[in-house]
Amino acid sequence: MCGIFGIVTEQNQPLGKILVEAGQRLSYRGYDSIGCATIASDGRGTPAIDLRKDTGKIDEVNSRLNFEEMSGQRGIVQLRWATFGSPSQVNSQPHLDSDGDLVGAHNGNIVNNVSLREAFVKEGMTVRSSNDGESCVHAVERYYDQGCDMVESIRRAARTLQGDYAFVIGHQEGDTLHAIKQGSGLVVGIAEGATCVSSDLPSILPLTNKILRMYDGEIVTLWHDRVELRRVDDGTLIEREPEIFTEGMGAAEKGGYPHFMLKEIHEQPQVAAELIHWLDASPHVAPFLEALTSARRLYLVGCGTSYHACLVGAAYLSRLAGLGAVPVLAPQFTETMAHTLGPEDTIVFVSQSGETKDVLNALKAARRSEARILGVLNVIGATLMLASDHYLPLACGYEISVPATKTYLNQVVLFLYLADRLGRPGARIDWAQVPNLIAETLELTNEPARRVAEVLNPFDEMYYLGYGSTLGVALEGALKLKEITYAHCEGMLSSEFKHGPLSAVYDGYPVLFVTAPDDAAMMVNHVNEVACRGGRSIVVAGEDPLLRGNVMGEISESSMGESAHDYLLLPSAGHELTALLAVLPLQLISYHMSVARGIDPDFPRNLSKTLTVD
Ligand code: M6R
């Protein structure tokens, strides 16, 4: 996830060390390139703007480009985490405008980047990279060159930029920096003799703990001794008092959350929104869809959490698009399917890291045929990306916590999006509502999830059951619980439970059911089988369709709500979206139980984030 930091001081002075330290404070977010720009006061200095940038880690790039010798009255540092456009010197940020008078850097995604760049070129601007951060600079240049001042230019530019982003920009004349927040994080710091702005707190806190929060649709202008906030839509001034931030650096890196896992769980509405915007605008989706629909045989391959997303994805592709996709664990694919492939087959490899050895082994085996290889991954530049014929990014930014949360959600969002694009136009998902539903679910289920965690905590073994679209969700919830609580939780198909495991049930034995509307009539039988044997049935579902007396009520006399001891209610949504939302309380249950057991959920024992071994 990109990070930006800008600082304004009173007069020209050495700024390089401050910029490097700010970059180091942002590096926990993950990055592949770094760049620094300094602006000398009122254009004095040769040249007024000093810009240095390249791919690599901060210390290594600093030792080559010597950021620490840079000086000026204003400075910007940016860490780039590539989402599209390979990591390269020219794609690194900050960027200059055509004449080299403006310099700026962004965080986020400008989804109409391609059409903007074409327009800038037609208008005679000098476009040097394919990076969308450069488009922010040219969008401002367009209006500045027409005679608008900086704030007006940024306001007008914002009307032309689509996506979620924040950027900071300065002109070599004057003594200010400006920054805008539109969907990505941005906070302002007010220090003695300097002001600063950053994508998040850790780069600001060593300089000051006097913090001014910004909200979407706001522009800030920074002088060395004051800041001014304005609304983007009408330019009016905003009065807001700064706050004093009293928590430590660790809390700042975690955005105020006690663990990265909780922070990443709560980032899910935003990363889903960013991915949806990306997919809406991306030319990479069409060839991906073509490879899915034209396949003779279609496999979805992954490990762990990514495999669970494949299970849900296969259900979506089948239900919405009528495509028969086979979800397979990567090593099993290598052993039982790789030998059978031909050029008409398509394999979608799904991996957060893009480096999991089991997945790469399967990919290598698949490459021996001429089957088409598609990749779905979060880490741009990973081996899976380079080895794929086509790939789609998960656009989640860096996931620090070992248990995957936001990357799983976006894998499922991506599969639902593809299935929806291939499905009947009349039955389309309302994508604008999806981020809101995710946010609503997190809010609605957090407390109930904490109470369910209290119920489960005394047990060291239990079951999570799902059916159809929610099988993958139940397996994912069970994996998350095992991973960070060290309890044994078996996930399985609810209809299989009666074929053996039901014998484990005794009075109070916990069994959690995940159900989506179209499966409720079937699932209620499975819930009853446990409840009537004294088991404690915990149901995660939308509003009980049986209680509402609709068609499900005619099929079964009993109600899900009546059979369940604990009913964890999700917002009302259709079948597919319920399967997407249902994982959220399961993540929260695992998190709360892990913390209650005194375990650090971010770094569970024996595990690592990326498994590059057989
Ligand atoms: O990077 P990948 O998605 O290929 O990783 C696969 C699994 O190792 C991973 O999903 C693992 O199961 C997670 N830590 C679960 O939270």
Side-chain angles (χ1 to χ4, degrees):
M1 204 179 276
C2 302
I4 50 175
F5 170 86
I7 184 164
V8 177
T9 61
E10 191 173 359
Q11 57 200 5
N12 292 340
Q13 59 179 284
L15 284 184
K17 197 160 183 299
I18 293 174
L19 297 180
V20 168
E21 283 173 4
Q24 280 160 340
R25 295 277 183 196
L26 290 174
S27 63
Y28 76 94
R29 294 159 68 98
Y31 67 103
D32 43 57
S33 322
I34 176 170
C36 293
T38 50
I39 313 175
S41 161
D42 284 327
R44 290 190 293 272
T46 359
I49 296 178
D50 182 359
L51 172 62
R52 308 177 191 198
K53 57 185 186 174
D54 208 346
T55 57
K57 295 295 167 199
I58 297 179
D59 291 345
E60 183 263 316
V61 182
N62 183 26
S63 68
R64 272 192 287 124
L65 303 183
N66 207 354
F67 294 137
E68 290 193 355
E69 71 177 10
M70 296 172 77
S71 66
Q73 178 250 336
R74 290 160 281 164
I76 296 172
V77 58
Q78 201 267 10
L79 267 59
R80 178 170 184 241
W81 164 266
T83 306
F84 254 94
S86 52
S88 67
Q89 197 274 342
V90 76
N91 281 336
S92 306
Q93 302 202 46
H95 294 284
L96 297 172
D97 72 336
S98 303
D99 301 331
D101 298 331
L102 286 167
V103 64
H106 95 314
N107 170 27
N109 294 316
I110 307 296
V111 297
N112 57 335
N113 181 41
V114 172
S115 58
L116 281 173
R117 276 169 47 219
E118 283 167 10
F120 296 145
V121 170
K122 276 197 192 127
E123 289 167 37
M125 297 187 207
T126 306
V127 177
R128 302 175 184 89
S129 74
S130 56
N131 178 251
D132 48 344
E134 185 177 353
S135 291
C136 298
V137 179
H138 291 305
V140 175
E141 171 188 0
R142 180 188 265 161
Y143 299 106
Y144 193 83
D145 285 357
Q146 289 171 12
C148 298
D149 66 18
M150 281 297 286
V151 171
E152 185 58 23
S153 301
I154 294 169
R155 286 184 54 222
R156 290 186 189 206
R159 287 183 214 140
T160 67
L161 298 169
Q162 293 168 14
D164 298 299
Y165 61 87
F167 71 84
V168 56
I169 190 163
H171 195 284
Q172 66 171 356
E173 288 168 8
D175 55 2
T176 54
L177 284 181
H178 307 267
I180 178 170
K181 173 166 162 48
Q182 199 70 57
S184 295
L186 202 65
V187 277
V188 174
I190 302 166
E192 277 300 310
T195 60
C196 49
V197 64
S198 179
S199 42
D200 64 359
L201 279 172
S203 58
I204 291 185
L205 287 181
L207 302 172
T208 179
N209 64 353
K210 199 169 171 186
I211 302 299
L212 187 66
R213 304 229 170 243
M214 283 184 72
Y215 297 94
D216 287 345
E218 295 180 354
I219 298 179
V220 66
T221 302
L222 299 103
W223 291 264
H224 79 274
D225 55 354
R226 69 192 165 97
V227 300
E228 201 172 81
L229 263 187
R230 289 181 184 272
R231 287 164 57 107
V232 176
D233 53 2
D234 58 10
T236 52
L237 271 174
I238 301 167
E239 295 293 333
R240 185 172 304 139
E241 286 302 310
E243 303 159 29
I244 302 299
F245 189 87
T246 49
E247 304 203 39
M249 189 60 72
E253 285 180 348
K254 291 171 189 154
Y257 292 100
H259 297 98
F260 285 111
M261 181 181 178
L262 198 58
K263 175 174 180 254
E264 287 158 6
I265 286 173
H266 285 279
E267 281 170 357
Q268 290 177 110
Q270 189 184 336
V271 297
E274 289 184 9
L275 179 64
I276 293 162
H277 284 148
W278 251 117
L279 294 170
D280 280 342
S282 172
H284 296 249
V285 174
F288 212 91
L289 290 174
E290 200 282 324
L292 296 183
T293 49
S294 62
R296 179 186 62 163
R297 286 177 300 189
L298 175 60
Y299 298 101
L300 312 181
V301 179
C303 291
T305 289
S306 296
Y307 166 68
H308 300 148
C310 293
L311 286 168
V312 183
Y316 287 159
L317 288 168
S318 160
R319 287 176 56 96
L320 297 183
L323 280 184
V326 182
V328 203
L329 283 164
Q332 191 66 1
F333 175 83
T334 309
E335 291 306 315
T336 61
M337 278 141 195
H339 314 285
T340 69
L341 299 173
E344 316 81 20
D345 300 326
T346 295
I347 305 108
V348 185
F349 291 97
V350 182
S351 171
Q352 181 280 133
S353 61
E355 299 292 353
T356 298
K357 184 78 184 332
D358 289 336
V359 173
L360 297 183
N361 288 347
L363 192 150
K364 204 166 150 195
R367 265 282 170 235
R368 287 187 206 115
S369 70
E370 286 174 33
R372 270 166 303 186
I373 308 286
L374 306 183
V376 170
L377 53 121
N378 192 42
V379 179
I380 297 302
T383 308
L384 172 58
M385 183 189 113
L386 303 176
S388 299
D389 298 323
H390 302 284
Y391 76 93
L392 290 174
L394 293 168
C396 289
Y398 206 58
E399 190 174 64
I400 292 172
S401 179
V402 168
T405 52
K406 59 180 178 172
T407 53
Y408 165 85
L409 185 92
N410 265 9
Q411 287 166 345
V412 175
V413 166
L414 190 139
F415 276 125
L416 181 55
Y417 186 93
L418 297 175
D420 185 47
R421 283 277 291 265
L422 295 171
R424 283 181 298 118
R428 286 272 150 84
I429 301 281
D430 180 359
W431 286 103
Q433 278 311 310
V434 170
N436 300 335
L437 279 169
I438 296 169
E440 195 189 330
T441 307
L442 288 172
E443 192 166 341
L444 186 71
T445 61
N446 186 44
E447 263 319 301
R450 191 194 301 276
R451 290 199 296 274
V452 171
E454 279 168 15
V455 169
L456 298 181
N457 200 16
F459 294 87
D460 264 327
E461 57 129 337
M462 63 205 77
Y463 282 87
Y464 275 17
L465 307 182
Y467 188 83
S469 309
T470 58
L471 171 63
V473 186
L475 263 58
E476 172 57 10
L479 174 68
K480 214 94 303 175
L481 200 95
K482 283 182 277 220
E483 193 176 11
I484 61 171
T485 70
Y486 311 153
H488 177 246
C489 179
E490 193 168 332
M492 65 188 296
L493 197 71
S494 59
S495 55
E496 276 294 293
F497 199 60
K498 60 181 175 289
H499 292 292
L502 188 58
S503 65
V505 172
Y506 54 84
D507 262 3
Y509 183 87
V511 183
L512 183 143
F513 295 84
V514 191
T515 181
D518 293 358
D519 301 325
M522 173 63 74
M523 283 288 266
V524 76
N525 299 312
H526 306 154
V527 175
N528 282 332
E529 283 160 12
V530 169
C532 73
R533 286 169 178 83
R536 182 158 189 159
S537 54
I538 302 156
V539 172
V540 176
E543 206 169 321
D544 187 341
L546 304 173
L547 280 180
R548 301 224 108 201
N550 62 14
V551 65
M552 304 291 183
E554 293 160 21
I555 298 168
S556 165
E557 288 196 337
S558 66
S559 138
M560 191 81 78
E562 280 165 14
S563 309
H565 284 84
D566 309 282
Y567 198 91
L568 220 152
L569 186 70
L570 301 171
S572 291
H575 182 87
E576 275 72 30
L577 284 176
T578 301
L580 183 131
L581 300 173
V583 78
L584 302 167
L586 305 188
Q587 295 170 346
L588 290 164
I589 291 169
S590 305
Y591 173 79
H592 291 308
M593 190 163 149
S594 175
V595 172
R597 289 187 167 202
I599 294 166
D600 180 352
D602 289 338
F603 304 105
R605 71 184 179 206
N606 305 338
L607 299 180
S608 86
K609 186 74 187 161
T610 305
L611 289 164
T612 52
V613 290
D614 285 313

